[in-house]
Amino acid sequence: MVVGDVSTGTDVAVVGGGPGGYVAAIRAAQIGLDTTLVEMDAYGGTCLNYGCIPSKAMITATDVAHGAANAEEMGVYADPEVDVGEMVEWKDGVVDQLTGGVEKLCKANGVNLMEGRAEFAGGDRLRVVHGGEGQGSESIEFEHCIVATGSRPIEIPGFEFDGEHVLSSRQALAMDDVPESMVVVGAGYIGMEISTVLAKLGVDVTVVEMLDEMLAGYPEDLTRPVESRAEALGIEVEYGLAADSWEETDDGIVVTAEDGDGNTESFETEQVLVAVGREPVTDTLNLDAIDLEPNEDGRLETDRQARTDVENVFAIGDVAPGPMLAHKASKEGQVAAEVAAGEPAALDYQAVPAAVFTDPEIATVGLTEDEAREEGFEPAVGKFPFSASGRALTTGDSEGFVRVVADEESGFLLGAQIVGPEASELVAELGLAIEMGATLEDVASTIHTHPTLAEATMEACEHALGHAIHTLNR
Amino acid sequence: MAREFKLPDVGEGVAEGEIVDWLVSEGDTVAEDQPVAEVETDKAVVEVPSPVNGTVRTLHFDAGDVVPVGDVIVTFDVEGEAPEEESDEEAEAAEETAEPATESASKSATEKASTRTFAPPSVRRLARELDVDLDSVEGTGPSGRVTEGDVRAAAEGDTTEPQDEPPEEDREVAEPAGEQAAEHTGGAGGQEPAGREKTLAAPATRGLAKELGVDIDDVPAVEERDGEAFVTAEAVQEYAEGGVAAQGAPEAGAPQREFVEGGETTQPYRGVRRTIGEQMAESKYTAPHVTHHDTAVIDDLVETRAKLKERAAEQDVKLTYLPFVIKAVVAGLEEYPVLNSELREEAGEIALKQDYNIGIAVATDHGLMVPVVKHADQKSIVELAEEVNELAAKARDRSISREEMQGGTFTITNFGAVGGEYATPIINYPETAILGLGAIDERPVAEDGEVRAAQTLPLSVSIDHRVIDGAEVGRFTNYVMERLTDPELLLLE
Ligand SMILES: Cc1cc2nc3c(=O)[nH]c(=O)nc-3n(C[C@H](O)[C@H](O)[C@H](O)COP(=O)(O)OP(=O)(O)OC[C@H]3O[C@@H](n4cnc5c(N)ncnc54)[C@H](O)[C@@H]3O)c2cc1C
């Protein structure tokens, strides 16, 4: 291998191959820009390799087992045997298929792929450092650079990830067998999703949460069904406790946590999973070289065109402001690529949907009633419980509801909150409605297939209009 | 915290303004309502006041910049709010991209949520494409939703009104909107009341009409919606101004001329004049022009034409030099097809035209028009003469149809009709070349060490240098000149 600095030129250099970066690269190449994508670990980034996809694969697999084992009500008696190793192998197969697909798509669209860590070496130059002995480095001269370096799990002091006793979400999703017990630090969505998987695999799960609520940031009436389902699954959630330290014992470890008053509590367990949030990755980039500084959250500030303070450098995804979500990363990637190509693109969406794949699922988009009021709207709210949905009852899962929030005067939809079966899918229709400027009337007047869960959105809109059929009007 | 201050809509429908002067510098302390900038729109120069007490952190534009309404022009650090918070606030603002910071800041002042303009994503994109500020568009869709048609109408409204970037040199003419309106009604005698039964208009437009005391059914409609007349706010405004001015004008009919020291009279920049202006600007600023000049010695052509002129007169045809030039040009284009082309940037292709449709620029009372002689390659000199005369006459009395001015592949302009030798013709975009003719006259020509007086025709060929190289236009011109110098060669074409 040649040691030295080989320089190539490109219109757009994309750093990071996650859902932000690879989408940006493909779009840029589609528009006809010469595009180079640099990834230092694995194509598909966090989302495909260590996040969304593996977690959802495990959630679905454990749901299948758990569903079969708990269908006596339907007259089904089963005692599924789960081979965790095979389950994980299947999940890895899904991941491989998708990451391989990303690589193929990039190549098919003419994206130059480069492996290595990219760091800025000036306003128009990246140095790509290859791993391994004597691999040397290369330079890329770019017109535009799209930074999509994503995020990594936050480590809390005293809980360095060792993959043995203290796990990150990434490590937890890579286990090929499950422990008997697990303490999960953090009741955010990652903590709760993985806790649910573990509990369904028979692990004795204790969640330790510093705040006094689960899934902070989501309305309480949405998290309540999740909380009670978690409890039914045997997950114990301890609120108001901050994990403090751990030590090894003969049978595993003991995790100590402290409440606000300095009282401590300890939990015996086999392993501890720390899922307290994620931090943006900018330290791999040598930002000094372009005089760009992250804000105090560690993110790169951007404008409506995803540009940073440096004119030709864009930032997207987890490293840019906003919720850390894959679909938001991808959309920003498209916008950045189009802006780089001189197209009139901008981040002007009305609402970013979010979903939590707990049991039951939670999904939200746009404004809640309170937020709508704060924005100056007089909100009209409609709700439809899944207990009144024919389809929900036939699935054996009828907990939860769909709620819509609209502007009373004009009828424009402003937001929706859903908890219940397939919430993550159902939210899509309402997201579309919000973006299209659809009114309650529009959604209510759209014929929905019967019997489906999606009818609930129509019914919720009818409810907001005061003429619901299958639920009592306000 | 930081407050981003956007260029406000300083007047009805104004899409942008020029920052004439900053009245503050970065780091200055400012008080609320203190003027921070002088902004000139095509309607007026206004002072823009600070919305806050604080200090000026960043001025985002330089004096002289033209800024679209809604762009952030100043970032202030608001007094009494810790600047450390700003990044948080900014992060939040960026998160809710649909709701820029200033709007939420000024929201308390407005009773209703005006933070959102409801429009589907495709319409939002169109607005960006056409450079229309969506927030200033009146929605006519369900519940006031902004539709594609609304955005297009807003964009078109901008181009038919003088407010949309008049070319630099015309700005003064276009500026004083008030005078212009008065002049317009003076000249046109005011707009006739339409007196319709039913008129469609947005609620805000109706409100405006009421405010101005105008019956909306009388306002001339600019378009139709669902088969009914549709009236815009601009139309109401214009009608109202027309009405008011007409009442005040002592002699409606003739524009008044005032001879005042330093005075001026203004003319409306619209209609044909404006269309020409826009096309010229588009051509000039899109296609890098290079003009090649040369002179053809045409003693023989003068003779030939003099002979044939009489013959043609017998057939009732007035024979000018132009048909000969057209013949020579067509020959040149056949030999050098790249001059008979169109550049399609978006498709990334140069279209070499198979037709030889020669546009002839004709100066008329209402401006320059370019009727097109179709398939000039298939016509005789006499046929060409006939057609050119007919088209020119139609152009002058404005009876020419649109089709007769379309489809050109190359243009000839005869500025020599009023004398002079060389000029820079502007390409009739998207064509890629144009020939300008100077005046045919006796000029000194050096031949074999002798200077003699010869009949000469100065030629100026402008080309789009993106498509055509200098050498090519040189060769083309030589080829054409050869045929003008030796008209017998035209017999071979
Ligand atoms: C367990 C888990 C579950 C999740 N579930 C969901 C979900 O259900 N839905 C959802 O929307 N989101 C989910 N997320 C979040 C989602 O994964 C992220 O929001 C998304 O991956 C962000 O995409 P990105 O492109 O910004 O960055 P990433 O996906 O993090 O990709 C960044 C890439 O950049 C590379 N990189 C970093 N620095 C350099 C450098 N200097 N040179 C070269 N390469 C570099 C990294 O190796 C990485 O591959 C989940 C996350 C986790 C951890």
Side-chain angles (χ1 to χ4, degrees), chain A residues 54 71 103 156 159 218 264 343 347 359 420 469:
Chain A
E103 210 176 324
I156 46 178
F159 288 88
Y218 286 92
T264 57
E343 292 195 4
L347 303 169
D359 188 359
I469 304 287

Side-chain angles (χ1 to χ4, degrees), chain B residues 276-290:
Chain B
I276 293 170
E278 276 167 2
Q279 266 170 14
M280 293 290 178
E282 189 190 10
S283 175
K284 184 81 186 173
Y285 296 122
T286 310
H289 282 56
V290 164

Side-chain angles (χ1 to χ4, degrees), chain B residues 298-327:
Chain B
I298 57 159
D299 293 303
D300 288 354
L301 178 62
V302 171
E303 240 184 86
T304 310
R305 182 227 169 208
K307 256 192 267 166
L308 296 178
K309 198 177 155 186
E310 283 168 29
R311 286 295 185 81
E314 285 168 24
Q315 298 173 39
D316 249 330
V317 174
K318 185 172 159 251
L319 185 63
T320 63
Y321 289 101
L322 201 51
F324 296 93
V325 177
I326 295 176
K327 269 281 163 203

Side-chain angles (χ1 to χ4, degrees), chain A residues 122-470:
Chain A
D124 60 357
R125 223 156 61 85
L126 284 170
R127 181 188 311 283
V128 180
V129 186
H130 299 298
E133 268 301 292
Q135 296 274 303
S137 66
E138 281 176 77
S139 281
I140 314 176
E141 263 175 53
F142 59 82
E143 293 265 324
H144 305 276
C145 180
I146 300 178
V147 175
T149 44
S151 61
R152 64 166 80 91
I154 294 177
E155 279 188 337
I156 46 178
F159 288 88
E160 282 70 43
F161 303 127
D162 61 11
E164 192 189 344
H165 297 297
V166 184
L167 308 183
S168 65
S169 60
R170 169 178 172 171
Q171 290 160 338
L173 288 166
M175 296 185 299
D176 48 16
D177 199 2
V178 288
E180 260 175 36
S181 57
M182 180 81 90
V183 164
V184 176
V185 180
Y189 85 92
I190 295 179
M192 290 316 298
E193 284 183 7
I194 299 180
S195 293
T196 308
V197 166
L198 294 174
K200 287 182 178 173
L201 289 172
V203 179
D204 190 357
V205 180
T206 307
V207 180
V208 174
E209 168 57 55
M210 198 165 71
L211 305 174
D212 47 19
E213 54 178 344
M214 168 185 293
L215 298 171
Y218 286 92
E220 218 190 301
D221 57 347
L222 297 180
T223 58
R224 210 172 301 126
V226 178
E227 209 173 343
S228 59
R229 193 76 63 91
E231 202 175 301
L233 284 169
I235 299 173
E236 224 169 282
V237 189
E238 303 280 344
Y239 295 105
L241 285 179
D244 184 46
S245 61
W246 66 277
E247 78 190 31
E248 213 171 334
T249 64
D250 289 345
D251 320 311
I253 62 172
V254 173
V255 175
T256 311
E258 203 179 292
D259 70 10
D261 301 329
N263 309 317
T264 57
E265 243 178 273
S266 46
F267 305 93
E268 277 177 38
T269 181
E270 209 177 307
Q271 288 179 315
V272 55
L273 161 64
V274 179
V276 294
R278 299 182 59 80
E279 61 188 2
V281 175
T282 50
D283 52 1
T284 57
L285 276 167
N286 188 28
L287 288 173
D288 284 350
I290 53 167
D291 274 340
L292 191 59
E293 235 180 89
N295 67 19
E296 66 209 21
D297 303 341
R299 313 222 196 180
L300 299 175
E301 289 291 341
T302 51
D303 65 11
R304 268 165 63 96
Q305 298 196 305
R307 277 186 212 278
T308 64
D309 289 342
V310 177
E311 178 76 13
N312 61 337
V313 176
F314 299 79
I316 58 168
D318 287 1
V319 82
M324 288 190 177
L325 293 168
H327 43 274
K328 174 225 167 223
S330 297
K331 184 53 73 194
E332 289 176 346
Q334 289 174 6
V335 167
E338 289 173 12
V339 171
E343 292 195 4
L347 303 169
D348 76 343
Y349 27 76
Q350 301 285 0
V352 182
V356 182
F357 292 76
T358 41
D359 188 359
E361 292 179 0
I362 292 176
T364 60
V365 62
L367 307 180
T368 60
E369 182 176 354
D370 287 347
E371 287 164 350
R373 194 161 281 123
E374 272 163 37
E375 275 207 14
F377 293 100
E378 188 54 58
V381 177
K383 196 167 159 178
F384 186 79
F386 284 116
S387 56
S389 154
R391 182 61 184 132
L393 290 169
T394 63
T395 65
D397 187 0
S398 58
E399 200 167 344
F401 57 86
V402 173
R403 179 169 55 216
V404 295
V405 179
D407 176 30
E408 172 103 63
E409 191 189 316
S410 59
F412 286 130
L413 276 167
L414 300 170
Q417 299 85 42
I418 310 174
V419 56
E422 305 295 349
S424 58
E425 299 286 340
L426 294 173
V427 77
E429 174 185 358
L430 292 159
L432 176 68
I434 294 170
E435 291 294 345
M436 292 300 289
T439 61
L440 288 169
E441 184 73 49
D442 294 330
V443 179
S445 305
T446 301
I447 299 185
H448 287 64
T449 328
H450 179 73
T452 56
L453 297 170
E455 286 172 299
T457 61
M458 172 181 76
E459 298 265 6
C461 290
E462 284 183 335
H463 185 239
L465 290 166
H467 50 65
I469 304 287
H470 295 99

Side-chain angles (χ1 to χ4, degrees), chain B residues 212-237:
Chain B
L212 298 173
V214 167
D215 183 347
I216 198 131
D217 291 327
D218 285 344
V219 178
V222 277
E223 57 188 286
E224 280 200 351
R225 295 267 163 91
D226 302 328
E228 298 284 355
F230 181 85
V231 164
T232 61
E234 289 89 81
V236 169
Q237 191 80 42

Side-chain angles (χ1 to χ4, degrees), chain B residues 322-331 376-377 379-381 384 490:
Chain B
L322 201 51
F324 296 93
V325 177
I326 295 176
K327 269 281 163 203
V329 161
V330 169
D377 53 329
K379 293 176 180 166
S380 72
I381 298 233
L384 289 174
L490 288 178

Side-chain angles (χ1 to χ4, degrees), chain B residues 58 61 63 140 153-154 210 215 248 280-281 301 305-306 320 327 329 343 389 396 407 443 466 474-475 488:
Chain B
T58 320
F61 291 91
T140 63
K210 208 176 267 174
D215 183 347
M280 293 290 178
L301 178 62
R305 182 227 169 208
T320 63
K327 269 281 163 203
V329 161
L343 174 62
N389 294 342
R396 292 202 181 93
R443 295 187 180 86
R466 293 174 303 175
R475 286 189 211 107
E488 269 175 27

Side-chain angles (χ1 to χ4, degrees), chain B residues 123-445:
Chain B
V123 171
R124 311 181 79 79
R125 184 176 177 106
L126 180 71
R128 289 195 297 273
E129 214 162 83
L130 301 178
D131 213 2
V132 168
D133 176 14
L134 202 64
D135 297 335
S136 67
V137 177
E138 196 79 53
T140 63
S143 302
R145 189 171 87 148
V146 177
T147 65
E148 188 185 321
D150 297 335
V151 170
R152 289 198 190 280
E156 273 160 28
D158 277 355
T159 51
T160 52
E161 283 218 350
Q163 67 204 20
D164 187 35
E165 306 179 36
E168 212 61 53
E169 66 271 22
D170 292 317
R171 195 167 277 170
E172 276 171 41
V173 184
E175 226 167 52
E179 277 178 54
Q180 191 185 309
E183 160 96 24
H184 162 69
T185 43
Q191 292 174 315
E192 287 290 313
R196 278 181 310 271
E197 298 242 303
K198 185 170 178 196
T199 303
L200 298 181
T205 308
R206 291 186 188 283
L208 178 68
K210 208 176 267 174
E211 206 172 283
L212 298 173
V214 167
D215 183 347
I216 198 131
D217 291 327
D218 285 344
V219 178
V222 277
E223 57 188 286
E224 280 200 351
R225 295 267 163 91
D226 302 328
E228 298 284 355
F230 181 85
V231 164
T232 61
E234 289 89 81
V236 169
Q237 191 80 42
E238 197 173 311
Y239 182 77
E241 280 170 9
V244 173
Q247 280 164 20
E251 265 175 60
Q256 278 199 306
R257 290 185 77 182
E258 286 176 23
F259 295 96
V260 185
E261 190 67 33
E264 60 181 23
T265 58
T266 57
Q267 290 179 348
Y269 179 59
R270 59 170 59 160
V272 178
R273 179 80 265 154
R274 189 177 166 85
T275 311
I276 293 170
E278 276 167 2
Q279 266 170 14
M280 293 290 178
E282 189 190 10
S283 175
K284 184 81 186 173
Y285 296 122
T286 310
H289 282 56
V290 164
T291 309
H292 178 92
H293 300 288
D294 215 331
T295 306
V297 179
I298 57 159
D299 293 303
D300 288 354
L301 178 62
V302 171
E303 240 184 86
T304 310
R305 182 227 169 208
K307 256 192 267 166
L308 296 178
K309 198 177 155 186
E310 283 168 29
R311 286 295 185 81
E314 285 168 24
Q315 298 173 39
D316 249 330
V317 174
K318 185 172 159 251
L319 185 63
T320 63
Y321 289 101
L322 201 51
F324 296 93
V325 177
I326 295 176
K327 269 281 163 203
V329 161
V330 169
L333 294 177
E334 281 171 341
E335 190 72 12
Y336 299 101
V338 71
L339 280 96
N340 198 43
S341 69
E342 175 182 333
L343 174 62
R344 298 188 188 130
E345 287 125 277
E346 291 199 349
E349 58 189 18
I350 298 167
L352 302 178
K353 303 296 182 131
Q354 311 274 349
D355 295 333
Y356 296 91
N357 299 342
I358 308 298
I360 307 295
V362 178
T364 72
D365 289 344
H366 12 269
L368 198 65
M369 299 221 173
V370 187
V372 174
V373 178
K374 304 262 163 71
H375 306 298
D377 53 329
Q378 296 161 23
K379 293 176 180 166
S380 72
I381 298 233
V382 174
E383 283 171 331
L384 289 174
E386 230 169 357
E387 193 170 333
V388 168
N389 294 342
E390 189 190 316
L391 287 171
K394 278 194 190 171
R396 292 202 181 93
D397 69 26
R398 279 190 108 164
S399 65
I400 191 155
S401 71
R402 245 187 121 69
E403 294 77 61
E404 286 170 311
M405 298 201 288
Q406 284 171 343
T409 60
F410 183 93
T411 299
I412 299 175
T413 176
N414 182 11
F415 45 73
V418 289
E421 293 190 54
Y422 300 106
T424 306
I426 295 182
I427 296 165
N428 194 6
Y429 191 76
E431 296 169 22
T432 54
I434 184 169
L435 166 64
L437 305 172
I440 295 173
D441 213 339
E442 260 193 344
R443 295 187 180 86
V445 168

